[in-house]
Amino acid sequence: MNYPIPDSPQEIFALQQQPVDEELVAAVIAGVVKLVRSQGQSLEELTAQVLAEDPMLDRQQRRWLSTLVAQAWESFP
């Protein structure tokens, strides 16, 4: 992977300056999973946040993203 997994919200935010590609999206998802776990949140809490109404993504996109987040959650120890 060309991008390290971010360790903080600031590092995740800094990735916003990079061109979007599959590896960047994967790094951000991995960083979010890592951060949420370190804060003691559960997959269910994270999924609820992903599925919450948002003007940026429609319902189908949020469900797709929640599936990716769940897969990432299961992939990382």
Side-chain angles (χ1 to χ4, degrees):
M1 186 177 335
N2 292 327
Y3 303 98
I5 296 174
D7 289 320
S8 68
Q10 294 80 10
E11 289 180 13
I12 292 170
F13 185 74
L15 290 173
Q16 180 176 315
Q17 305 304 317
Q18 302 297 323
V20 177
D21 63 13
E22 295 87 6
E23 289 189 15
L24 179 67
V25 173
V28 170
I29 290 172
V32 168
V33 167
K34 185 177 179 181
L35 183 64
V36 166
R37 281 184 166 181
S38 74
Q39 295 174 346
Q41 290 183 319
S42 68
L43 174 58
E44 291 75 22
E45 290 170 312
L46 178 55
T47 300
Q49 291 173 358
V50 170
L51 291 173
E53 284 294 320
D54 184 279
M56 187 174 278
L57 301 174
D58 64 30
R59 180 176 296 182
Q60 182 178 1
Q61 291 168 323
R62 290 192 308 271
R63 286 183 185 209
W64 174 78
L65 181 57
S66 72
T67 300
L68 289 178
V69 167
Q71 290 172 354
W73 186 281
E74 297 301 324
S75 296
F76 292 105

